[in-house]
Each structure stands twice: as C-alpha cells, then as structure tokens.
Amino acid sequence: MNQTAGLDQLKQYNLITYIFYIVGFFVGVTPIIAIIMNYLKRAEMRGTWLESHVNWQIKTFWVTLIAYLVGAVLTTILIGFIVLLLACIWHIYRLVKGLVSLNNNHPVS
C-alpha cells in the first residue's frame, strides 16, 4: 500500500471518529468507542497532518467530559446549567472546526 492510500484510510478513520463524537449527542456510548479508536490509531498517525486531528479529538473528549461532569454536579446550585451550555457550545465548535479542517486536508490547530 502506498503512502497516499494509507493517509486516505487514516483520514477516513478520523472522519468516522468525528461522526461517532457527533452521534454521541444522541447515543451516549459512541464517544467511548471513538476515544478508544483514537488511542488505537494514534501511533499510526504520528508524523502526519492527521496526528493533529487525533490529538484534537482526544483533548476534546477529556475536556468536555470533565466540563459536563462539573456542570452536572453544579446544577444543584444552578450555575451548572451555564457550565453545561458553555461546554456543549465548545464541544460543537471543536467538532465542527476539526471536521472542516479534515475535509480541507489540513491539520487542526
């Protein structure tokens, strides 16, 4: 397999993980599948422009998970709803920015 075909397959893999993260808004388990997939292919993407995407997705997963958990705990004092809203907006922004960059064959930064 040549390098271009390998990159195309890794790009497709990244697209699938982005889709799993998006589907996670409706089906809670798919982000867990996506984060596992990210860690499984991370080494293969090292040194390519796709490495930025897998790192972007991993960071997005962990930061939003923590933000959602903190927001959920803080809902008892009502500020949690604002935290949850901001976390959701940031989460959507990160997924859209990543997908646009991936579609344009650019690293995400």
Side-chain angles (χ1 to χ4, degrees), residues 28-44:
V29 71
T30 58
I32 303 297
I33 296 167
I35 192 71
I36 292 167
M37 290 172 67
N38 287 144
Y39 281 114
L40 288 174
K41 289 287 187 173
R42 190 179 201 184
E44 280 185 57

Side-chain angles (χ1 to χ4, degrees), residues 8-65:
D8 287 344
Q9 285 181 345
L10 290 175
K11 179 182 175 185
Q12 187 73 21
Y13 192 89
N14 256 306
L15 177 61
I16 292 166
T17 55
Y18 275 116
I19 291 168
F20 277 177
Y21 284 117
I22 292 167
V23 171
F25 285 106
F26 311 100
V27 182
V29 71
T30 58
I32 303 297
I33 296 167
I35 192 71
I36 292 167
M37 290 172 67
N38 287 144
Y39 281 114
L40 288 174
K41 289 287 187 173
R42 190 179 201 184
E44 280 185 57
M45 295 185 200
R46 193 157 286 125
T48 71
W49 64 273
L50 293 166
E51 179 180 13
S52 68
H53 286 275
V54 76
N55 291 335
W56 180 264
Q57 290 176 15
I58 289 169
K59 180 179 179 182
T60 301
F61 175 85
W62 290 113
V63 171
T64 54
L65 177 65

Side-chain angles (χ1 to χ4, degrees), residues 61-106:
F61 175 85
W62 290 113
V63 171
T64 54
L65 177 65
I66 292 167
Y68 288 141
L69 290 173
V70 168
V73 168
L74 292 178
T75 57
T76 58
I77 57 171
L78 300 181
I79 195 166
F81 294 107
I82 295 169
V83 173
L84 289 172
L85 177 64
L86 293 175
C88 185
I89 291 168
W90 187 79
H91 192 182
I92 292 167
Y93 161 77
R94 298 271 298 188
L95 293 174
V96 169
K97 183 175 180 180
L99 274 168
V100 169
S101 294
L102 184 70
N103 188 52
N104 292 325
N105 295 326
H106 294 310

